[in-house]
């Protein structure tokens, strides 16, 4: 499901247009979110040094009713988590502990568990390929659904065991193309890059992120985690919901992810499904938990070209499209000898680029998991960023998911146009 949003938003980025004023007011945003059944959302606009706009909308819990709080409400940020992997890797690159183009087996130090493409063993798997989703790793969506576990159960298996289970030459989890020649979004590839961070730094990935990325930025690491047990009190964790206008939705959910024990809510909330808190086996790729304000501090680091934790050249590398735009997105429907190629991928290192219908380009990352939908974007001038975190669900392939995605993009683009134009006196 995490992959679906990348494909879904690729369509929306190229189709949505903005109507009306460039500066949305609170009432317009509230009505837009309510129309597509978004329970709650936080929205922030930042530059390199300040928060320019922040608002909370709706609720982090429908039962009991509890409003979203910009600072206190803790979201699992889903695939936005991947950008932290690139930050960790680039810190190790700066220390000359790893190289982006060296075979990762040199860092994993597992002589009995070497990772390579079984059909192309001479094409090494490197950090650059993993972070740009061009390592030819591909896991079926049915297997991806099994990564979701109730409570903290996913952490009963180590990150290393998870990676070596699914990414090894004895499996069929590979594309029929050499690594480095096509792009295909991969949670496992990102998790494998995080495992390299673990092995080289000699600390768990989650501890590394807290100690080497968040703490130096002045972030209270007691309010950040991946496990539910990382938080003394789960009352501030945003709850996951899915809008379900009929009974077929609950049936579909329980067929696809039965282990989450999803339930229909009672009484006048019966059109909503409640999704209990869960864990995710490839956790570095999708399960960092933090508030929107905490995430905004991290985004301002990126806008300020690394702040105190990265050098500007590392930020530049993360922004640079790997392969110069010549690596196509893998298309399983194209014949091997066909000239009908999918559009070029625009992955940097974890971050990726998208071009709007009006030609404007943005870099950032989306996040999708059951009951959560997020988007974090930076403009091409690299001086403005917008974050929307929400507990909306867009995992179902239906019109509502499309409308939720369009609403998020509309809000993003309206805010960018507003703040690009100067003082946002029209915001309220």
């Amino acid at each position: 499901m995490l992959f679906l949003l990348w494909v879904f938003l690729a369509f929306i980025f190229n189709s949505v247009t903005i109507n009306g004023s460039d500066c949305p007011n609170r009432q317009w945003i509230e009505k837009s979110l309510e129309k597509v059944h978004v329970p709650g959302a936080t929205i922030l606009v930042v530059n390199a040094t300040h928060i320019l706009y922040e608002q909370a909308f709706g609720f982090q819990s429908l039962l009991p009713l509890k409003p979203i709080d910009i600072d206190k409400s803790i979201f699992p940020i889903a695939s936005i988590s991947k950008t932290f992997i690139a930050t960790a890797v680039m810190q190790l690159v700066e220390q000359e502990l790893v190289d982006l183009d060296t075979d990762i087996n040199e860092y994993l130090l597992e002589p009995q568990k070497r990772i390579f493409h079984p059909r192309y063993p001479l094409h090494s798997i490197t950090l650059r390929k993993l972070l740009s989703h061009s390592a030819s790793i591909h896991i079926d969506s049915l297997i991806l659904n099994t990564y979701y576990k109730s409570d903290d159960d996913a952490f009963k298996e180590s990150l290393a065991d998870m990676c070596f289970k699914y990414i090894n030459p004895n499996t069929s989890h590979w594309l029929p193309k050499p690594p480095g020649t096509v792009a295909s979004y991969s949670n496992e590839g990102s998790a494998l890059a995080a495992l390299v961070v673990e092995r080289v730094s000699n600390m768990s990935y989650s501890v590394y992120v807290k100690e080497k990325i968040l703490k130096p930025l002045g972030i209270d690491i007691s309010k950040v985690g991946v496990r539910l047990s990382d938080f003394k009190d789960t009352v501030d964790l945003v709850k996951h919901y899915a809008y379900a206008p009929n009974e077929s939705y609950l049936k579909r959910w329980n067929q696809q992810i039965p282990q989450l024990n999803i339930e229909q809510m009672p009484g006048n909330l019966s059109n909503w499904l409640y999704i209990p808190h869960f864990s995710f086996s490839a956790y570095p790729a999708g399960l960092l938990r933090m508030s929107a304000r905490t995430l905004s501090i991290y985004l301002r680091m990126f806008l300020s070209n690394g702040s105190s934790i990265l050098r500007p050249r590392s930020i530049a590398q993360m922004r640079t499209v790997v392969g110069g735009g010549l690596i196509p997105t893998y298309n399983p429907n194209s014949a091997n000898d066909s000239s009908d190629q999918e559009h070029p991928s625009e992955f940097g290192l974890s971050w990726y680029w998208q071009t709007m219908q009006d030609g404007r380009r943005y870099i950032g990352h989306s996040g999708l998991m059951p009951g959560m939908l997020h988007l974090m974007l930076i403009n091409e001038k690299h001086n403005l960023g917008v974050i929307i975190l929400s507990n909306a669900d867009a995992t179902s392939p239906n019109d509502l998911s499309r409308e939720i995605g369009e609403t998020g993009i509309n809000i993003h683009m309206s805010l960018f146009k507003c703040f690009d134009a100067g003082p946002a006196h029209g915001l309220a």
Side-chain angles (χ1 to χ4, degrees):
M1 287 185 178
L2 289 167
F3 165 71
L4 294 178
L5 184 62
W6 182 73
V7 176
F8 178 57
L9 288 181
F11 165 76
I12 291 175
F13 267 111
N14 291 292
S15 62
V16 169
T17 57
I18 304 299
N19 297 312
S21 170
D22 286 341
C23 287
N25 59 33
R26 181 179 177 88
Q27 184 180 22
W28 178 82
I29 295 175
E30 282 182 336
K31 288 184 176 179
S32 298
L33 296 173
E34 289 173 3
K35 183 179 179 181
V36 293
H37 306 289
V38 175
T42 56
I43 301 176
L44 294 97
V45 181
V46 301
N47 61 18
T49 57
H50 293 87
I51 294 175
L52 306 178
Y53 170 81
E54 61 176 14
Q55 288 286 345
F57 301 86
F59 303 96
Q60 72 172 47
S61 170
L62 297 178
L63 189 68
L65 204 61
K66 183 175 182 179
I68 290 278
D69 185 286
I70 290 281
D71 187 46
K72 294 181 179 179
S73 296
I74 305 294
F75 292 83
I77 61 172
S79 284
I80 292 175
S81 303
K82 292 179 175 66
T83 65
F84 287 79
I85 302 175
T87 297
V89 167
M90 292 311 298
Q91 286 182 327
L92 298 180
V93 169
E94 290 182 0
Q95 298 171 53
E96 299 184 354
L97 296 175
V98 300
D99 178 85
L100 290 175
D101 300 306
T102 295
D103 191 312
I104 59 167
N105 290 293
E106 293 194 19
Y107 306 122
L108 296 176
L109 302 177
E110 293 272 0
Q112 306 303 317
K113 298 180 181 179
R114 290 185 63 83
I115 292 176
F116 58 88
H117 194 307
R119 291 175 59 180
Y120 303 99
L122 298 182
H123 288 71
S124 61
I125 306 298
T126 68
L127 285 166
R128 193 185 303 275
K129 292 172 186 175
L130 293 174
L131 296 176
S132 62
H133 302 282
S134 60
S136 285
I137 299 167
H138 178 73
I139 308 294
D140 184 86
S141 60
L142 294 177
I143 295 176
L144 285 173
N145 284 341
T146 68
Y147 292 178
Y148 296 106
K149 309 288 186 183
S150 62
D151 299 317
D152 279 340
D153 287 354
F155 296 101
K156 293 177 180 178
E157 180 179 53
S158 72
L159 179 60
D161 287 344
M162 181 271 165
C163 288
F164 286 118
K165 178 194 295 184
Y166 294 102
I167 315 171
N168 69 73
N170 299 317
T171 69
S172 59
H173 302 152
W174 300 89
L175 295 176
K177 295 285 187 178
T181 64
V182 292
S184 182
Y185 193 84
S186 172
N187 293 298
E188 300 76 18
S190 297
L192 184 56
L195 179 61
V196 171
V197 173
E198 282 199 350
R199 292 294 170 84
V200 173
S201 66
N202 291 314
M203 64 176 70
S204 76
Y205 174 75
S206 58
V207 170
Y208 183 97
V209 169
K210 289 183 178 181
E211 295 296 326
K212 303 298 184 180
I213 298 176
L214 299 177
K215 188 182 286 187
L217 293 175
I219 291 169
D220 182 354
I221 61 173
S222 70
K223 297 180 180 180
V224 178
V226 291
R227 295 168 172 81
L228 298 172
S229 60
D230 288 339
F231 300 91
K232 292 181 179 179
D233 191 344
T234 59
V235 68
D236 288 327
L237 299 185
V238 176
K239 292 183 178 180
H240 302 242
Y241 297 103
Y243 187 73
N246 59 60
E247 293 180 359
S248 67
Y249 282 72
L250 178 59
K251 182 178 180 181
R252 179 189 61 82
W253 276 100
N254 285 328
Q255 286 175 340
Q256 293 187 356
I257 318 179
Q259 67 273 22
L260 294 190
N261 299 312
I262 295 166
E263 301 175 345
Q264 184 177 12
M265 296 189 68
N268 61 359
L269 295 173
S270 61
N271 283 340
W272 290 97
L273 302 180
Y274 170 62
I275 306 168
H277 292 303
F278 54 81
S279 49
F280 184 68
S281 295
Y283 78 88
L287 202 63
L288 268 176
R289 304 177 195 261
M290 63 184 65
S291 71
R293 188 169 288 160
T294 295
L295 182 60
S296 76
I297 297 171
Y298 170 75
L299 184 59
R300 296 204 303 273
M301 173 279 295
F302 197 81
L303 285 168
S304 61
N305 288 317
S307 185
S308 60
I309 67 169
L310 281 176
R311 298 170 187 165
R313 67 185 183 188
S314 293
I315 300 295
Q317 280 212 62
M318 293 159 75
R319 288 171 52 90
T320 301
V321 175
V322 173
L326 299 178
I327 300 176
T329 301
Y330 177 69
N331 181 358
N333 298 318
S334 295
N336 289 338
D337 58 352
S338 171
S339 60
D340 179 26
Q341 290 189 339
E342 191 62 65
H343 61 84
S345 66
E346 292 197 79
F347 286 110
L349 301 180
S350 293
W351 298 73
Y352 62 82
W353 288 90
Q354 289 285 1
T355 303
M356 300 303 174
Q357 191 178 38
D358 62 3
R360 298 189 186 200
R361 285 167 53 78
Y362 297 85
I363 187 171
H365 215 292
S366 57
L368 174 72
M369 59 171 40
M372 291 287 155
L373 178 65
H374 315 312
L375 187 59
M376 179 176 75
L377 294 177
I378 293 172
N379 62 354
E380 193 169 13
K381 291 185 292 186
H382 198 72
N383 64 359
L384 198 64
V386 177
I387 295 169
I388 299 181
L389 303 183
S390 79
N391 57 348
D393 181 77
T395 56
S396 299
N398 57 25
D399 287 343
L400 179 59
S401 291
R402 176 183 57 79
E403 291 167 3
I404 292 171
E406 288 177 350
T407 298
I409 295 295
N410 271 318
I411 294 171
H412 262 85
M413 295 304 98
S414 189
L415 288 168
F416 273 118
K417 287 187 176 183
C418 176
F419 283 90
D420 266 337
H425 58 274
L427 283 165

